[in-house]
Amino acid sequence: MALESHKTPLSLVPNWRLYPAYSSQRSPLKVRCPPSPSKRPSGGSLFKMAVAPRLFGGLCFRFRGQKPEVAFMGTFPIPSCDDCERRRTAMAAVAESPAAAAAAEDREPQRKAVPGLESQRRQIENGENGRGHPLRAGDSWFLVEQHWYKQWEVYVQGGDQDPSTFPGCINNAELFEDQVNWRLKKGLVEGEDYVLLPAAAWHYLVNWYGLEHGQPPIERKVVELSSIQKVEVYPVELLLIQHSDMDTAHTAQFSRTDSVDLVLRTAQEQFLVSPQEETRLWIKNAEGSFERLCNTRVTVLDAALKTGQVVIMETRNKDGTWPSAQLPAMSSASEEDEDFQGQPGICGLTNLGNTCFMNSALQCLSNVPQLTNYFLKNRYLEELNFCNPLGMKGEIAEAYADLVKQAWSGHHRSIVPHVFKTKVGHFASQFLGYQQHDSQELLSFLLDGLHEDLNRVKKKEYVELCDAAGRPDQEVAQEAWQNHKRRNDSVIVDTFHGLFKSTVVCPDCGNVSVTFDPFCYLSVPLPMTHKRVMEVFFVSMDPRRKPEQHRLVVPKKGKISDLCVALAKHTGVSPERMMVADVFSHRFYKIYQLEESLSSILDRDDIFIYEVSGRAAIGENSREDVVLPIYLRERTPARDYNNSYYGLMLFGHPLLVSVPRDRLSWDALYHILLYRLSRYVTRPSSDDEDDGDEKDLEDKDNLPKPGHVAGGSSQDPGPEQAGPSSGVAGGSRAPVDNSPGPSHWPQRARRKHLFTLQTVNSNGTSDRSTFNEDTHAQPYIAIDWEPEMKKRYYDEVEAEGYVKHDCVGYVLKKAPVRLQECIELFTTTETLEKENPWYCPNCKQHQLATKKLDLWMLPETLIIHLKRFSYTKFSREKLDTLVEFPIRDLDFSKFVIKPQNESAPELYKYDLIAVSNHYGGLRDGHYTTFACNKDSGQWHYFDDNSVSPVTENQIESKAAYVLFYQRQDVARRLQPQPSLSDPPASPACGTPANSEFMDIN
C-alpha cells in the first residue's frame, strides 16, 4: 500500500486501524480507530477538524459518529522523512486533544497546495522549469537516482489506480560510494544511473515527496567547456593545506565555475583563519614546483585547477613578510629582529649593488601618506588588474605592497628588496643587472606600473583627442580630464596626476592649437649659465718647462679658438701658435681644428694644448714647418717560443713637434726629438760613445729610415683600437718626394742612438713605409725604445711631472636659484627644436612652432623633478646649482591659470614631505632620501639601510634632485583627530624635540 511504501505506520495511537476506500470517483482513504469514550467528541454528531497542513502533510482528521477518521484527497502529500518522528508525536497529540490542532495551525505557515499527479508530471517533464529547461552557465542542476525517478514516472502516469507504485521519498543511496563522505561513485552515466533536474524541478519533488533522512542533495553547476554547456557531474576535488601544517590536508569540492576566491574563503573557514588576516594561495604543480594563484577573481576552470591538486594557503606574518618569501640567509636576521619594535616607516633598504637609486625612490614613495594607507589597509586587493595588457599582471603592485607592509610593520630595522628588484628587472630590462641608474627614471616606471596594475578601468575604450577649436578653456579642460579618467582611473591618478594647458602657435600661418594633457610629475629646468670651466694642460716648445695645468672660463657654446684665446691670456703665447688635442691611452684620440665647437669636448676628456711654430707660410720663399705627432713606444718580448717576436707598447704623453721642412731628415728629426725630450731623457756620456763600433759603421741601413727600424723589423702588436684622428692645419704634411733617404744622411762618427724612429698610423700600432700625397694622410712618428735603454736614459717620474697655474684655484661661483624661478622657466614660451617639429593642420607641414605650458590643475601630491643632468649631442654635465625650496607653504596660486577658489587658499599651497638626493657626478654618484614620517612628523635621512633623524635646516642642499610636496588640504584631511588629552599637532612635518641628529653636510 502507499502508506506502507512510505514506511510511515499509522499506529500513531494505540488500536488505530487503516481502512482504505477506493472508487472511480477518487474516494478518500479513511483511517478509522475503535470507539474510545475518552476521545469522543460530545454530542455524537459528525465533527470535522482541519489539522495544520504544514504540520501533518495535508492530512485531514474528522470524526464520523463515534469513529475518528484520517482522510486525504487526491495525491497523498508525503512529508520529508526527517520530520516523520516529529509529526508522529504531533499527530498523537492531536488524537489526545483535538484542540491542539487549532494551536498547531496558528504556529505553522501554510504550505502551497500539492498539485494533482498529471499536473506534477507536466511541471517536471514539460514545464518551463522542467527537464526541458535550457542549460545556462552557472545554473544549478540536481542528480536524482534513475530507479526512483522511473518509479515516480509510473506513479504519476497511472494515477492512484495502483497505490503500490508510490515512490516514497527521494533516495539517492545507489549513487554514493559510502554514507559518510557521500562521494559519488565513479563512472555514473546519465540515463542509466541518474537523471538531471533543474533547481526548480528538484525543489518541487523535495517539497512533494521529501528527501531520505541524512542524504545531501547532489547539486551540480552548468559549465561552459569549449563553447558547449554541460552539467558538471564530477566537480574538482582540491586538497587544501595550510602553510604552517603541510602534513594535514582537507578535501573540498568546487565547481569549475566557482571563483578562486571561494577556494580561499573555504580554506580560511577550514583552518579557522580570520577574514581580516591577509592570505594568499599557492598550487603545487606536477613537477613539484609551486605557483601563485594571484587572481582570485577567476574561476577554477580558468585557473586550470584539477582534481587532486594541492592548494596551499599562507598567512602574512605580523612583520609584513610572507613565510614563503623568507630566504635561508635571512633566518638569522629575522630571529634577531623577532622582538624588535620600532617606529613604523623608519626602516632602511639594503643596497644590493648600485641599487641606491631604487632605495631612494622607494623611500620617497613610501612616505606619501595617501598611497601608503591605501596599501596598508589592503584596498589594493580589490583593484588589482590582472588583465591589463599595459600592466604587469599585478606583480609590481603586489611586490611594492609587500615592501610597504614590511617597512611599516615596525618590526624591521632594514629589509632586503631582492624580490622587488627582480620584478622590476623582469618588466623593465633597462634595470636588469646592477648598473647605476637614475632614481627619477625608476620613479617614472614605478608610478606607471602601479597605475596600470591598479587601473580600475578593465577595458579601455577608444577616446579621440579634440583640440579646443575656440571653445572656453573650462569646457575643454573638463572634457580632457573626463576622457583621461575613462581610460585611466587608479590611486596613482587620484594622488599624482594633474593637468597641463599646452598652447602651440605656428610661425607661418599663426594657427593656435590649445590642448589639455595630464601629467604625473613636473620636470623643471634649472637656469643655465653661459660660461663653462675647462681644465687643460699646456705643453710649451721649451723643453725645460714642465706641462702646466690651467683652468679656463670659456663660452659654453664657443669654439676651439675661444679656448686658445683664453689660454693665451695666461701664457702669453699667440693662439695661432697653439694646437688642441684630446689624449687618450697614450695616443691622440683627436686633433681639433680651430673652428670646431667646444661642445664636442667632455669634462672628463684630457685636453692638451701644444705650442707649435707658425702654422702658415708668410711668403713664397719663406720656411714652412711640418707639425708631426710623436708617440713613445717600448719594445717588449712577446709570448713566443723562439723569442723572435717583439711587441710594442705605447707609454707616456704624446707630443706635437714642429719640424722645418728644409731640415726634414731622419737624422735631423732624431736630434730635434732628443732636444724636445731633454728634460727627462739623459744624453749618453763620452764613455758611451761608440765611434769604432763596426756594427754601426758597416751598414748605413742600420740607421732609422722610413718604414724600417734599425736592427730588425717591427710587428704590429695588436689590432687598432683608438678613435679617429684629424690632420693638422693646412701646409703641415710631409711630401713623399722630399722625404730624405740614406743618401742625404751625413757620414760622420756619432754617438750611440738611444731610440729608433718608425712611421705608424694614428693608433701608433701599424707600420707605414710610405705616405701617399693624394690621401692627405697625416704622418705619425713613433719613438721606439729598447727596454734597457729606456731604463737607463728615460726618467719616468720627471716625464709625468707637471705644474699648476694659479688659475687652477679659480672656482666659477654659481648663485643659488629659487624653486619658483625654475617653475617660471618651465612655463616660459620656447621654440621647438629641429628634431621635434610640430605638424600644423593648416599649413599641412611640420613647423618649428612656439610652445607654452601652463599649469591648469595640480594633484594632491606634486612631484617636482629638478633637471640637473644636461645631455646634448656632444656633451653631458650635471648642474650642482643650489636650488632653494621651501619646506612649507609653497604657493602655486600665481602659476595655476584655472579660475581659483579664493575661499580655499590651501588648494594651492604645498608642504614638503620627501626629497631624493644625488651626490657625485655623471659617471658615479650616490642617492639618499630625506623623508617626513606621516605618523610622527619627524624628518629622517635614509641612506640605504641606515636611517637617522635630521633637522629641517639640513634638508636643503645642492644634492636635491626630486621633491615631493603634499597639498595642505590633503594633509589636514589625513591627519588623525586628536583627543582632548593630546597636544595640538602641527599640520606639516616639524622639527622634533629630540636633539640627537645626524649632520648630513
Side-chain angles (χ1 to χ4, degrees):
M1 294 179 62
L3 294 182
E4 291 176 353
S5 65
H6 184 56
K7 297 180 173 54
T8 308
L10 291 186
S11 56
L12 304 178
V13 181
N15 302 320
W16 279 46
R17 295 189 300 276
L18 181 64
Y19 296 92
Y22 305 103
S23 68
S24 58
Q25 289 79 23
R26 312 187 89 176
S27 302
L29 178 66
K30 301 179 177 62
V31 180
R32 295 185 176 90
C33 66
S36 176
S38 62
K39 305 298 181 184
R40 294 176 194 160
S42 60
S45 61
L46 179 62
F47 178 82
K48 181 178 180 180
M49 177 186 66
V51 184
R54 171 71 176 168
L55 185 60
F56 298 107
L59 291 178
C60 182
F61 279 75
R62 64 186 178 184
F63 290 82
R64 192 179 300 276
Q66 302 298 321
K67 301 177 181 178
E69 297 177 345
V70 181
F72 65 92
M73 299 298 296
T75 305
F76 185 68
I78 304 299
S80 176
C81 296
D82 55 2
D83 292 337
C84 289
E85 190 62 35
R86 180 173 60 86
R87 297 185 182 186
R88 288 192 191 101
T89 305
M91 292 175 68
V94 171
E96 291 288 337
S97 175
E105 184 175 6
D106 294 335
R107 290 194 305 267
E108 291 289 338
Q110 295 293 318
R111 171 175 288 192
K112 186 176 180 181
V114 179
L117 299 182
E118 180 61 25
S119 178
Q120 289 186 39
R121 187 186 66 80
R122 286 197 305 268
Q123 290 188 46
I124 300 301
E125 295 287 349
N126 305 319
E128 180 182 354
N129 296 319
R131 293 186 63 188
H133 185 73
L135 298 178
R136 297 192 187 95
D139 287 354
S140 294
W141 285 62
F142 291 81
L143 275 68
V144 178
E145 198 267 330
Q146 176 79 7
H147 178 73
W148 185 94
Y149 190 79
K150 290 298 182 183
Q151 183 72 14
W152 173 82
E153 286 184 325
V154 172
Y155 175 66
V156 296
Q157 290 172 2
D160 58 356
Q161 300 301 321
D162 185 6
S164 63
T165 60
F166 183 79
C169 8
I170 302 173
N171 190 348
N172 291 327
E174 294 298 324
L175 302 180
F176 295 108
E177 285 185 350
D178 55 71
Q179 307 294 318
V180 179
N181 296 320
W182 302 103
R183 183 173 300 173
L184 283 185
K185 294 180 179 178
K186 300 296 183 182
L188 296 178
V189 180
E190 183 181 3
E192 295 181 6
D193 302 301
Y194 63 89
V195 295
L196 289 170
L197 297 178
W202 164 261
H203 292 306
Y204 286 150
L205 290 179
V206 172
N207 187 51
W208 300 335
Y209 297 92
L211 181 63
E212 188 70 24
H213 177 69
Q215 283 189 9
I218 309 176
E219 181 182 3
R220 295 296 183 259
K221 296 285 182 136
V222 178
V223 297
E224 183 176 354
L225 300 174
S226 303
S227 302
I228 299 176
Q229 308 280 353
K230 61 180 296 184
V231 178
E232 182 185 37
V233 176
Y234 291 97
V236 177
E237 292 187 358
L238 301 177
L239 299 178
L240 304 181
I241 297 177
Q242 195 173 17
H243 187 271
S244 58
D245 185 10
M246 299 291 288
D247 297 328
T248 305
H250 170 71
T251 304
Q253 292 185 346
F254 300 94
S255 169
R256 288 170 176 81
T257 60
D258 289 337
S259 66
V260 176
D261 184 64
L262 178 61
V263 179
L264 179 61
R265 285 187 279 112
T266 303
Q268 289 175 334
E269 295 173 1
Q270 176 63 30
F271 300 119
L272 304 179
V273 176
S274 171
Q276 282 70 37
E277 294 193 57
E278 191 173 352
T279 56
R280 63 183 184 180
L281 297 178
W282 296 78
I283 58 173
K284 187 176 182 180
N285 296 323
E287 59 270 17
S289 61
F290 294 91
E291 181 182 348
R292 272 279 316 281
L293 282 175
C294 299
N295 190 358
T296 59
R297 294 189 286 271
V298 300
T299 63
V300 172
L301 176 64
D302 293 335
L305 298 180
K306 300 178 182 179
T307 295
Q309 197 157 21
V310 175
V311 178
I312 303 171
M313 183 191 75
E314 67 169 336
T315 306
R316 190 188 289 273
N317 299 325
K318 64 178 181 179
D319 63 353
T321 61
W322 292 102
S324 60
Q326 291 182 344
L327 301 175
M330 296 170 55
S331 58
S332 59
S334 61
E335 292 175 2
E336 179 181 343
D337 293 347
E338 184 175 359
D339 299 328
F340 174 76
Q341 184 63 49
Q343 171 70 41
I346 310 303
C347 178
L349 296 173
T350 300
N351 193 323
L352 305 176
N354 285 332
T355 59
C356 57
F357 72 97
M358 181 183 74
N359 294 346
S360 178
L362 288 174
Q363 293 288 13
C364 288
L365 213 55
S366 172
N367 283 279
V368 176
Q370 309 98 295
L371 189 64
T372 297
N373 291 337
Y374 172 84
F375 282 98
L376 292 179
K377 295 179 180 179
N378 291 334
R379 292 201 295 267
Y380 75 100
L381 293 175
E382 299 298 323
E383 298 182 352
L384 284 171
N385 192 335
F386 300 98
C387 307
N388 189 351
L390 300 178
M392 289 78 175
K393 301 179 181 179
E395 295 185 31
I396 288 293
E398 288 188 327
Y400 179 75
D402 288 346
L403 276 182
V404 170
K405 289 176 180 292
Q406 294 177 45
W408 289 85
S409 68
H411 293 283
H412 299 280
R413 293 181 176 89
S414 65
I415 54 180
V416 182
H418 177 74
V419 175
F420 181 83
K421 171 69 171 63
T422 303
K423 294 290 185 184
V424 169
H426 175 72
F427 291 104
S429 58
Q430 67 268 29
F431 297 113
L432 276 173
Y434 298 93
Q435 292 79 25
Q436 294 188 6
H437 293 283
D438 191 321
S439 67
Q440 189 273 335
E441 291 179 0
L442 177 77
L443 185 65
S444 176
F445 161 78
L446 183 55
L447 288 173
D448 184 65
L450 289 176
H451 160 64
E452 296 296 352
D453 274 358
L454 300 169
N455 199 343
R456 304 176 186 114
V457 180
K458 306 305 179 185
K459 186 177 181 180
K460 295 189 177 184
E461 57 181 308
Y462 172 75
V463 176
E464 185 176 359
L465 299 179
C466 299
D467 194 81
R471 293 180 294 165
D473 286 350
Q474 284 275 70
E475 177 185 343
V476 182
Q478 184 177 2
E479 178 187 86
W481 185 250
Q482 289 176 350
N483 289 340
H484 178 60
K485 293 279 285 188
R486 284 162 63 186
R487 292 175 55 86
N488 305 278
D489 185 14
S490 70
V491 65
I492 302 300
V493 175
D494 300 339
T495 308
F496 298 102
H497 282 206
L499 204 62
F500 281 140
K501 177 186 176 183
S502 175
T503 306
V504 183
V505 180
C506 177
D508 288 351
C509 66
N511 178 41
V512 179
S513 173
V514 176
T515 58
F516 288 83
D517 306 305
F519 69 89
C520 190
Y521 50 85
L522 297 181
S523 290
V524 298
L526 272 63
M528 300 274 292
T529 177
H530 299 290
K531 297 293 184 179
R532 177 184 178 185
V533 177
M534 298 183 64
E535 290 188 359
V536 300
F537 289 91
F538 174 69
V539 181
S540 173
M541 290 182 63
D542 185 352
R544 295 169 297 180
R545 294 178 58 184
K546 292 183 179 181
E548 291 180 345
Q549 183 183 16
H550 291 257
R551 180 170 290 175
L552 308 175
V553 180
V554 294
K556 183 166 288 187
K557 295 184 179 181
K559 299 180 179 180
I560 297 295
S561 58
D562 296 319
L563 185 63
C564 296
V565 170
L567 182 61
K569 297 177 181 179
H570 295 177
T571 61
V573 178
S574 171
E576 282 73 23
R577 299 185 60 188
M578 296 180 184
M579 293 190 66
V580 181
D582 181 358
V583 176
F584 175 74
S585 188
H586 312 292
R587 56 173 62 90
F588 291 115
Y589 182 78
K590 183 175 182 179
I591 299 176
Y592 293 95
Q593 301 291 342
L594 292 176
E595 296 304 316
E596 290 190 63
S597 174
L598 286 175
S599 61
S600 59
I601 299 179
L602 305 182
D603 290 337
R604 66 171 183 265
D605 294 340
D606 293 325
I607 303 300
F608 283 72
I609 300 181
Y610 297 87
E611 180 187 5
V612 295
S613 60
R615 293 174 177 272
I618 299 176
E620 182 178 357
N621 297 324
S622 64
R623 186 179 65 183
E624 182 182 353
D625 289 348
V626 178
V627 179
L628 298 177
I630 306 297
Y631 291 153
L632 300 175
R633 302 195 303 183
E634 179 180 5
R635 191 185 304 275
T636 57
R639 295 181 179 178
D640 201 342
Y641 293 107
N642 54 13
N643 290 328
S644 61
Y645 175 87
Y646 287 86
L648 292 166
M649 297 186 61
L650 292 170
F651 70 93
H653 297 299
L655 296 172
L656 287 177
V657 178
S658 299
V659 180
R661 184 174 293 279
D662 57 1
R663 294 182 56 194
L664 190 58
S665 67
W666 289 102
D667 192 57
L669 181 59
Y670 173 83
H671 287 91
I672 290 175
L673 295 178
L674 194 62
Y675 172 72
R676 286 295 302 269
L677 303 176
S678 60
R679 183 171 58 86
Y680 46 89
V681 173
T682 306
R683 288 178 177 269
S685 62
S686 59
D687 296 338
D688 295 329
E689 292 186 0
D690 199 2
D691 295 341
D693 194 329
E694 296 180 358
K695 185 176 180 181
D696 277 344
L697 295 176
E698 70 181 17
D699 191 353
K700 297 293 189 294
D701 287 340
N702 287 338
L703 293 175
K705 59 183 179 180
H708 298 279
V709 179
S713 62
S714 174
Q715 302 288 339
D716 188 355
E720 300 179 10
Q721 298 177 355
S725 177
S726 64
V728 294
S732 62
R733 292 193 309 276
V736 176
D737 52 340
N738 290 336
S739 297
S743 60
H744 296 95
W745 295 334
Q747 303 296 320
R748 64 179 177 83
R750 52 192 168 70
R751 295 178 178 179
K752 176 189 263 185
H753 280 267
L754 302 182
F755 47 80
T756 58
L757 303 179
Q758 175 67 44
T759 55
V760 294
N761 62 9
S762 60
N763 291 328
T765 53
S766 301
D767 296 337
R768 302 174 62 178
S769 58
T770 60
F771 296 102
N772 191 338
E773 179 75 15
D774 296 333
T775 61
H776 301 283
Q778 167 67 46
Y780 285 75
I781 306 298
I783 298 176
D784 293 342
W785 289 82
E786 295 290 342
E788 194 62 33
M789 299 295 287
K790 176 176 178 287
K791 181 179 180 180
R792 186 174 180 182
Y793 297 105
Y794 186 89
D795 188 346
E796 293 189 13
V797 177
E798 182 65 24
E800 295 295 329
Y802 69 94
V803 294
K804 292 184 178 182
H805 192 269
D806 295 339
C807 64
V808 174
Y810 173 79
V811 177
L812 183 62
K813 295 183 178 179
K814 298 180 181 179
V817 298
R818 297 169 59 245
L819 179 60
Q820 290 84 344
E821 296 178 45
C822 300
I823 299 173
E824 288 177 356
L825 192 60
F826 174 79
T827 57
T828 302
T829 303
E830 62 176 352
T831 302
L832 299 179
E833 299 177 351
K834 294 181 179 179
E835 295 80 9
N836 186 30
W838 174 70
Y839 182 79
C840 178
N842 284 354
C843 302
K844 306 298 182 183
Q845 61 182 355
H846 289 87
Q847 299 284 2
L848 299 181
T850 60
K851 182 178 181 180
K852 187 178 189 304
L853 290 177
D854 290 296
L855 300 177
W856 180 265
M857 183 178 69
L858 296 180
E860 293 182 353
T861 300
L862 179 62
I863 302 176
I864 302 178
H865 165 222
L866 303 178
K867 298 174 70 173
R868 290 194 177 276
F869 298 102
S870 173
Y871 299 95
T872 64
K873 185 177 181 181
F874 298 104
S875 66
R876 296 183 300 168
E877 63 176 328
K878 180 191 174 184
L879 305 177
D880 57 355
T881 306
L882 175 63
V883 178
E884 298 175 342
F885 50 88
I887 304 297
R888 294 179 182 84
D889 296 328
L890 175 60
D891 193 355
F892 276 89
S893 58
K894 70 175 183 177
F895 297 110
V896 177
I897 64 172
K898 179 181 178 180
Q900 301 179 13
N901 183 5
E902 297 182 358
S903 62
E906 68 273 7
L907 295 178
Y908 311 100
K909 290 186 178 181
Y910 286 78
D911 295 332
L912 188 71
I913 58 174
V915 180
S916 175
N917 306 301
H918 178 265
Y919 300 93
L922 286 171
R923 289 183 290 181
D924 51 14
H926 184 60
Y927 288 92
T928 62
T929 300
F930 290 112
C932 177
N933 187 274
K934 69 181 182 67
D935 297 332
S936 65
Q938 163 75 58
W939 280 93
H940 286 82
Y941 180 68
F942 297 84
D943 185 359
D944 289 334
N945 58 351
S946 173
V947 184
S948 303
V950 292
T951 57
E952 288 185 1
N953 58 8
Q954 295 175 273
I955 297 173
E956 186 179 282
S957 70
K958 293 182 179 181
Y961 183 43
V962 183
L963 310 176
F964 284 69
Y965 278 93
Q966 186 178 60
R967 209 166 61 202
Q968 289 186 352
D969 67 310
V970 177
R972 293 189 179 95
R973 186 185 72 211
L974 297 175
Q975 187 176 3
Q977 297 296 331
S979 62
L980 296 178
S981 60
D982 294 335
S986 173
C989 291
T991 304
N994 190 352
S995 60
E996 297 180 0
F997 300 109
M998 178 180 179
D999 186 6
I1000 304 302
N1001 298 321

